[in-house]
Amino acid sequence: MRASGLCRRSVAAVCALVLAAGALTGCQGWSDKDSADGADGAGGATTTATRPSGYGSVFLAVDECSSFGTTSFTEVPCTSERAAARVIARYDGKVADGPSCPATTDFVLHISQAAPASDEDGDGAVPQGYACMRKLEPPHPGDPGGGGGPRTIVGDCVYSVGRGQVRETACDGKGRNPPEYKVTSAVTARSRCPSSTALYVELGGGMPVGCARPV
C-alpha cells in the first residue's frame, strides 16, 4: 500500500509525492486482513523469494506463479494447489529505479539477490529484482476501490493520515479506516480537474494528478 501526496484546492503549494517505504520495496501481503485494511498492511516485513529447482528457465518470469507463505515464497507450477499468485510483470534492479507495476497489481514481490543451487542461466546467481503479482483468486486489493495494491488509481478511495498524505482504504467501508475521498479521474495537471474536485492526489505516470471527491 502506498501513501500518496495530496493537496486541497485551497492550498496553493505543489503536492509532493510521498511513498510509504514498505509499499514498493517489500512484498505486499495478500491476507484478507491486508486486503480489507488497505494501507494498514504497508508496514509489513519484506518477504524474500527463494527458488526450487525445475520450474521455468527464469525465476518468477511473467506468467509464472508463486506459492503463498508468511515468511517466504517459492516458484511453483501455476497448476499446483500451492499456487497463489501470478507474475504479471517482472523487472531487474530496485523498485525505486525501475518501471512501475501495472495498475491492478495486487502486491510487489521483492526478489533478493541470491546464489541458489539452480538458477536461470547457469551462472550460480539470481539477480535482484521485483515481480508484480496478481492473485489467482479474489479479492484483488489492486482493483479500483479494493483498498490495496502498490499504486493508487482511478476508482480508489483514500483517507487522510495528516501531513499532506493520504492512504488507500476499501471503498465499501469494510477497511479499518472509512473512505473520505474517491479518485474519480486522472489528468495531466490540477487545472484539468473538474470544479467539484475537493482533493488532488498525486498518482505518478502519464496522468499524475488524481481528482478526488468526498464520499
Side-chain angles (χ1 to χ4, degrees), residues 90-108:
R90 170 75 155 82
Y91 305 106
D92 290 335
K94 297 180 179 179
V95 178
D97 300 330
S100 297
C101 284
T104 56
T105 299
D106 285 331
F107 65 95
V108 177

Side-chain angles (χ1 to χ4, degrees), residues 48-51 59 111-119 123-128:
T48 301
T50 57
R51 178 192 176 124
F59 181 46
I111 302 169
S112 296
Q113 187 171 2
S118 176
D119 64 274
D123 65 357
V126 173
Q128 181 182 22

Side-chain angles (χ1 to χ4, degrees), residues 92-177:
D92 290 335
K94 297 180 179 179
V95 178
D97 300 330
S100 297
C101 284
T104 56
T105 299
D106 285 331
F107 65 95
V108 177
L109 179 59
H110 176 75
I111 302 169
S112 296
Q113 187 171 2
S118 176
D119 64 274
E120 56 199 52
D121 56 11
D123 65 357
V126 173
Q128 181 182 22
Y130 57 101
C132 308
M133 309 298 295
R134 177 81 172 171
K135 292 170 54 182
L136 297 181
E137 301 290 341
H140 293 286
D143 283 349
R151 297 180 56 184
T152 300
I153 59 178
V154 173
D156 280 339
C157 291
V158 299
Y159 67 96
S160 174
V161 294
R163 293 179 295 180
Q165 297 183 42
V166 293
R167 286 184 177 173
E168 287 182 43
T169 190
C171 287
D172 61 10
K174 294 181 179 179
R176 182 176 301 172
N177 298 95

Side-chain angles (χ1 to χ4, degrees), residues 194-211:
S195 58
S196 58
T197 300
L199 193 75
Y200 301 106
V201 181
E202 189 159 353
L203 307 179
M207 295 287 186
V209 180
C211 314

Side-chain angles (χ1 to χ4, degrees), residues 182-197:
K182 184 173 184 178
V183 180
T184 57
S185 60
V187 295
T188 56
R190 288 187 295 165
S191 60
R192 295 184 177 274
C193 283
S195 58
S196 58
T197 300

Side-chain angles (χ1 to χ4, degrees), residues 6-15 181 190 195 197-200:
L6 65 88
C7 282
R8 299 181 186 278
R9 292 182 63 90
S10 60
V11 179
V14 176
C15 299
Y181 302 91
R190 288 187 295 165
S195 58
T197 300
L199 193 75
Y200 301 106

